């Protein structure tokens, strides 16, 4: 107790220096937290947007489908698979997909597109496509019409109510042809996808491709998205694993995952540099403190204070200082992040355009994941422990008379 | 006869490789319990060096130092720290105290290091501070005390561990004459009433006059050793 008191009072001996050290830690922590939660928030939104409209978080295919995406690898409705998914509490919902590449034409123009047969009612709940309609209306389950991405519709010169002709390869080499009304047009934030996607109700897709009641994929929407790899590994019982493969969005859209990981590494490097600067600051404080107190340390060793006790009081002092900075930093960051969460920042002008190009919605909704906050405290803790090692080594090497004479 | 300090043919040579300085040169000396000894001699004669050797703060180049029957010459650093804590009280020339602790806490610190209970620490610290004439300064920090008062707290702290003797290297060097005689009176009284052994170095004739034994060092050797 006395040692803690000693450490605490020593900390306030050079009030100004302690304030500078504590506030440098504090600002570093605030800055690192903001940087982190903003980057994570931005990317999580971008990933969620992209993943929901395209692959879904997890997909189940017949084995081998992903490497060779043909309608021939579609699999028939499987009650065992359906019941496994229905009974898994980690699965919040699942929908069937029937996807195929096909040729679309209207008037003079023709274009290769990706047709996605979906269950419109279920899909509406989580993908958000229905909310992106800019013309016409979203699909109903029994419709015999299609929904086009806006870029595609523009290229083909189509609007809601027009007719599109589709030509593709159907089941087992059959010819798939059809002429369908365009029910609605959807504008996607992702330019590449906006040029090639079209949707139709599952039933119509099955008829168009001649597959009967089959699916190319089942898209699974998990209750939590944080440990998909584990969920993917345990989703299916052994007997179903023989027939089906489960893939995470990271496996299906590796570019997006790479982009995210790259951004996180970049973020860590920036925080690292920031903390390095702070570490040098704390180091300077320690050096000054050790030098100023040499005489006193000498006296304490002379009257019988063991070196390790002396080291403990000094380390305690440093840890008090950095923990105080880190806690204050975290405490100060929380209201800032809350504020940004409630009043998200929106990018304007060119930045917004560039971000849209990269599929990033130009709005910043910071992540509230506590992990990003605690992490900073942890890092500051590690820095002060590392620097403590230096202080301890220095103290262990003190010779009392030299110290008293200094 | 009760020898608390026994040093035999002790030498300390600084810079043995370059230009060797024989700071202490073949000193043999015993100090008995209850002695009140002044170590005198010109500047550079080796007083501080000798006190450091006796106090186990420095190792002799040759010879042996025995404290309370224990040869401390070959002791390792950690064992020495512990030995000092149990057997030796120190008063240095100035800035003896921990600035962030009160007078009472400074005195208690030594007893805390010895593992004494809070009650015992607090009672004894108060008692000791009263005996050095500072019963009303318990809660004062060193910066709120005069130089003489600080030295008296240092004496109280040195006594706190119940050492065999107290070593004081020029304890009055930074004090005015009133504070000097105050401190000397306290030391004399502790010596008479409690039979506490003191060895102190000094240049001050008034301090020397109060000593009952005076050892004079010249060039690291004992030139005279007289009781008065
Ligand atoms: N650490 C050291 N390294 C080298 N020489 C030293 C060291 N300490 C003391 N000396 C030398 O040893 C000799 C004795 O010094 P010491 O400090 O013991 O004398 P002193 O009697 O205490 O002097 P003063 O009255 O000035 O305090 C001096 O010549 C001094 O220069
Ligand atoms: Mg000296």
């Amino acid at each position: 107790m006395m040692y803690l008191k000693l450490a605490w009072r020593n900390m306030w001996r050079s009030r100004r220096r302690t304030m500078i050290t504590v506030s440098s830690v504090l600002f570093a922590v605030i800055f690192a937290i903001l940087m982190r939660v903003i980057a994570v928030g931005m990317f999580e939104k971008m990933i969620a947007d992209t993943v929901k409209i395209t692959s879904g978080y997890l997909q189940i295919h017949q084995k081998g489908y992903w490497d060779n995406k043909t309608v021939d690898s579609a699999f028939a409705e499987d009650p065992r698979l359906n019941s496994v998914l229905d009974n898994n509490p980690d699965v919040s919902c699942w929908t069937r997909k029937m996807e195929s590449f096909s040729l679309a034409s209207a008037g003079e123009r023709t274009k290769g597109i990706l047709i996605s047969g979906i269950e419109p009612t279920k899909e509406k709940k989580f993908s958000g496509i229905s909310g992106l309609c800019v013309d016409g209306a979203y699909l109903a389950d029994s419709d015999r019409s299609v929904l086009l991405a806006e870029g595609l519709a523009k290229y083909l010169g189509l609007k809601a109510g027009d007719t599109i002709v589709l030509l593709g390869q159907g089941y087992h080499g059959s010819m798939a042809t059809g002429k369908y009304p365009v029910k609605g047009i959807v504008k996607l934030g992702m330019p590449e996808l906006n040029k090639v996607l079209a949707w139709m109700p599952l039933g119509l897709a099955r008829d168009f491709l001649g597959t009967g009641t089959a699916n190319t994929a089942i898209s699974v929407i998990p209750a939590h998205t944080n440990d998909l790899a584990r969920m993917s590994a345990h989703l299916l019982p052994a007997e179903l694993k023989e027939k089906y493969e489960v893939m995470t969005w990271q496996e299906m859209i590796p570019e997006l995952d790479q982009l995210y990981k790259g951004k996180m590494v970049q973020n860590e490097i920036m925080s690292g540099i920031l903390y390095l600067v702070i570490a040098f600051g704390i180091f300077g404080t320690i050096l000054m403190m050790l030098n100023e107190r040499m005489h006193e340390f000498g006296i304490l060793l002379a009257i019988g204070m063991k070196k390790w006790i002396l080291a403990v009081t000094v380390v305690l002092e440093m840890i008090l200082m950095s923990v105080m900075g880190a806690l204050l930093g975290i405490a100060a960051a929380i209201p800032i992040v809350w504020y940004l969460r409630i009043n998200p920042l929106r990018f304007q002008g060119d930045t917004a355009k560039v971000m849209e190009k990269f599929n990033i919605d130009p709005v910043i909704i910071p992540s509230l994941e506590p992990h990003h906050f605690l992490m900073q405290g942890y890092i500051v803790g590690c820095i002060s422990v590392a620097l403590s090692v230096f202080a301890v080594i220095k103290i262990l090497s003190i010779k009392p008379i030299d110290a008293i004479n200094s | 006869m009760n020898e608390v300090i026994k040093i035999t043919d002790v030498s300390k040579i600084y810079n043995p490789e370059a230009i060797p300085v024989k700071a202490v040169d073949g000193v043999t000396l015993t100090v008995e319990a209850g002695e009140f000894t002044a170590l005198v001699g010109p500047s550079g004669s080796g007083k501080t060096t000798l006190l450091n050797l006796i106090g186990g703060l420095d190792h002799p180049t040759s010879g042996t130092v025995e404290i309370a029957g224990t040869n401390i010459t070959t002791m390792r650093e950690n064992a020495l720290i512990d030995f000092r804590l149990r057997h030796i009280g120190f008063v240095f020339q100035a800035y003896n105290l921990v600035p962030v602790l009160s007078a009472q806490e400074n005195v208690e610190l030594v007893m805390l290091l010895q593992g004494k209970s809070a009650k015992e620490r607090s009672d004894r610290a108060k008692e000791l501070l009263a005996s050095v004439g500072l019963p009303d300064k318990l809660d004062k920090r060193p910066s709120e005390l005069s130089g003489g008062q600080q030295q008296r707290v240092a004496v109280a702290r040195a006594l706190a561990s119940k050492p065999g003797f107290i070593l004081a290297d020029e304890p009055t060097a930074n004090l005015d004459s009133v504070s000097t005689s105050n401190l000397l009176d306290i030391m004399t009284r502790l010596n008479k009433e409690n039979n506490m052994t003191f060895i102190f170095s000094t240049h001050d004739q008034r301090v020397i006059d109060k000593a009952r034994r005076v050892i004079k060092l010249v060039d690291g050797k004992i030139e005279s050793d007289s009781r008065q």
Side-chain angles (χ1 to χ4, degrees):
Chain A
M1 219 36 228
M2 178 98 147
Y3 300 130
L4 190 64
K5 190 153 71 179
L6 192 61
W8 175 257
R9 290 193 197 159
N10 273 330
M11 184 172 134
W12 295 109
R13 248 160 105 163
S14 354
R15 200 170 290 263
R16 183 203 288 261
R17 191 171 66 209
T18 300
M19 297 284 251
I20 291 172
T21 311
V22 168
S23 46
S24 72
V25 172
L26 184 150
F27 286 115
V29 166
I30 294 180
F31 199 72
I33 289 177
L34 288 183
M35 215 157 70
R36 184 84 188 173
V37 295
I38 285 173
V40 170
M42 238 161 69
F43 267 78
E44 276 177 353
K45 175 144 173 34
M46 159 182 155
I47 288 167
D49 289 352
T50 310
V51 163
K52 280 176 185 170
I53 288 178
T54 56
S55 65
Y57 285 96
L58 290 174
Q59 271 195 12
I60 300 168
H61 319 117
Q62 176 164 297
K63 257 199 176 143
Y65 169 78
W66 195 254
D67 294 330
N68 180 23
K69 298 188 193 76
T70 74
V71 190
D72 292 346
S73 311
F75 57 94
E77 279 290 320
D78 184 341
R80 281 179 312 160
L81 179 59
N82 296 353
S83 99
V84 162
L85 295 176
D86 284 339
N87 294 318
N88 187 332
D90 289 339
V91 173
S92 110
C93 102
W94 56 275
T95 78
R96 301 169 177 88
K97 300 232 179 194
M98 169 55 72
E99 292 186 330
S100 174
F101 289 100
S102 147
L103 222 53
S105 69
E108 297 292 290
R109 294 202 156 189
T110 304
K111 189 170 172 38
I113 66 166
L114 177 66
I115 288 282
S116 183
I118 55 174
E119 297 182 88
T121 311
K122 271 195 187 174
E123 195 83 22
K124 190 176 174 175
K125 273 194 272 182
F126 78 98
S127 79
I129 315 178
S130 60
L132 301 173
C133 262
V134 289
D135 188 16
Y138 182 66
L139 299 170
D141 290 347
S142 58
D143 278 351
R144 310 285 296 171
S145 50
V146 301
L147 201 61
L148 299 182
E150 182 256 359
L152 174 61
K154 203 179 205 174
Y155 179 84
L156 295 174
L158 294 173
K159 53 189 191 311
D162 292 349
T163 302
I164 188 170
V165 175
L166 299 177
L167 180 68
Q169 189 169 30
Y171 201 49
H172 289 166
S174 69
M175 190 74 159
T177 53
K179 202 172 146 196
Y180 306 108
V182 176
K183 185 170 183 193
I185 291 171
V186 161
K187 186 170 175 12
L188 299 180
M190 299 145 276
E192 292 310 314
L193 298 175
N194 200 36
K195 281 185 226 155
V196 296
L197 278 184
W199 299 264
M200 54 172 68
L202 184 69
L204 182 59
R206 284 170 171 175
D207 291 350
F208 168 61
L209 296 165
T211 57
T213 55
N215 314 304
T216 51
I218 281 178
S219 177
V220 175
I221 297 88
H224 318 282
T225 55
N226 44 18
D227 199 2
L228 292 176
R230 193 191 53 79
M231 184 166 171
S232 146
H234 296 99
L235 189 61
L236 298 183
E239 72 270 18
L240 289 179
K241 272 187 184 157
E242 309 214 320
K243 183 167 180 209
Y244 302 103
E245 64 191 13
V246 183
M247 292 178 79
T248 62
W249 70 264
Q250 287 98 332
E251 292 166 319
M252 294 182 286
I253 326 178
E255 318 84 71
L256 187 58
D257 192 36
Q258 287 304 319
L259 196 64
Y260 176 67
K261 285 185 175 139
K263 178 72 193 178
M264 289 302 114
V265 167
Q266 188 193 339
N267 190 272
E268 276 152 23
I269 290 172
M270 280 177 67
S271 314
I273 293 171
L274 183 66
Y275 279 122
L276 202 66
V277 172
I278 296 309
F280 274 106
I282 302 178
F283 186 66
T285 303
I286 296 174
L287 275 186
M288 279 191 270
M289 183 245 266
L290 289 176
N291 279 331
E292 281 170 10
R293 302 211 197 133
M294 249 332 139
H295 171 78
E296 183 180 328
F297 290 163
I299 302 260
L300 288 170
L301 294 175
I303 66 169
M305 183 178 270
K306 287 185 186 66
K307 282 188 169 173
W308 70 264
I309 295 182
L310 185 59
V312 164
T313 61
V314 171
V315 168
L316 262 179
E317 180 181 342
M318 282 176 50
I319 288 178
L320 276 176
M321 216 180 312
S322 38
V323 165
M324 191 158 107
L327 289 182
L328 288 175
I330 292 172
I334 290 171
I336 300 177
V337 174
W338 258 111
Y339 179 83
L340 289 178
R341 181 90 181 184
I342 297 164
N343 307 290
L345 290 176
R346 249 181 198 288
F347 286 105
Q348 308 285 335
D350 287 347
T351 326
K353 288 208 183 86
V354 171
M355 289 177 74
E356 268 174 346
K357 209 166 184 164
F358 286 98
N359 298 349
I360 304 173
D361 201 4
V363 59
I364 296 178
I365 299 172
S367 163
L368 288 183
E369 191 65 45
H371 160 82
H372 301 304
F373 293 76
L374 298 177
M375 192 64 194
Q376 310 305 325
Y378 178 73
I379 292 170
V380 171
C382 288
I383 292 174
S384 54
V385 166
L387 293 174
S388 298
V389 171
F390 167 81
V392 168
I393 290 172
K394 181 99 199 221
I395 287 171
L396 290 181
S397 72
I398 293 177
K399 294 211 162 47
I401 1 173
D402 296 344
I404 291 169
N405 292 335
S406 69
Chain B
M1 234 190 52
N2 188 1
E3 284 169 1
V4 285
I5 301 166
K6 181 167 190 244
I7 61 182
T8 314
D9 198 20
V10 161
S11 294
K12 176 71 189 182
I13 303 173
Y14 288 115
N15 302 325
E17 281 94 34
I19 314 140
V21 179
K22 275 205 164 183
V24 171
D25 189 0
V27 168
T28 297
L29 175 73
T30 57
V31 175
E32 276 162 36
E35 284 193 313
F36 199 66
T37 306
L39 205 54
V40 302
S43 190
S45 57
K47 303 181 293 294
T48 298
T49 307
L50 185 58
L51 287 174
N52 286 342
L53 292 171
I54 296 171
L57 292 172
D58 207 352
H59 286 285
T61 313
S62 63
T64 56
V65 177
E66 276 174 58
I67 304 294
T70 307
N71 182 354
I72 64 164
T73 330
T74 52
M75 253 186 211
R76 297 301 216 97
E77 191 185 10
N78 281 327
L80 263 178
I81 291 180
D82 208 46
F83 190 86
R84 289 197 296 266
L85 176 62
R86 280 180 291 117
H87 295 277
I88 310 173
F90 288 93
V91 176
F92 297 95
Q93 189 172 326
Y95 305 110
N96 269 288
L97 306 175
V98 180
V100 295
L101 296 182
S102 69
Q104 180 176 346
E105 287 164 339
N106 263 288
V107 176
E108 282 195 31
L109 184 60
V110 194
M111 293 182 276
L112 177 72
L113 295 171
Q114 287 182 320
K116 297 278 161 44
S117 73
K119 170 102 175 59
E120 185 179 351
R121 289 196 315 254
S122 148
D123 289 351
R124 186 160 162 79
K126 285 178 186 151
E127 186 187 307
L128 287 168
L129 285 167
S131 78
V132 297
L134 299 170
D136 53 344
K137 305 285 186 212
L138 300 177
D139 297 326
K140 294 277 185 283
R141 300 269 178 103
S143 58
E144 300 167 295
L145 299 172
S146 71
Q149 290 169 335
Q150 289 181 34
Q151 289 305 73
R152 277 142 74 184
V153 176
V155 170
R157 180 184 66 188
L159 289 167
S161 63
K162 302 189 178 166
F165 56 92
I166 290 176
L167 296 176
D169 192 11
E170 306 200 34
T172 62
N174 287 16
L175 303 183
D176 59 50
S177 58
V178 178
S179 303
T180 297
S181 74
N182 250 331
L183 188 68
L184 250 291
D185 289 345
I186 287 165
M187 284 164 60
T188 316
R189 184 166 46 72
L190 288 166
N191 173 252
K192 290 214 173 91
E193 290 174 7
N194 305 354
N195 201 38
M196 177 50 66
T197 315
F198 280 90
I199 305 169
F200 48 91
S201 68
T202 183
H203 287 284
D204 188 333
Q205 192 53 48
R206 286 165 302 172
V207 177
I208 300 171
D209 291 343
K210 301 256 182 175
R212 287 193 280 123
R213 179 180 176 188
V214 178
I215 298 170
K216 185 168 186 196
L217 282 181
V218 174
D219 291 339
K221 293 193 173 81
I222 295 181
E223 195 191 66
S224 66
D225 183 351
S226 59
R227 286 162 214 270
Q228 56 193 41

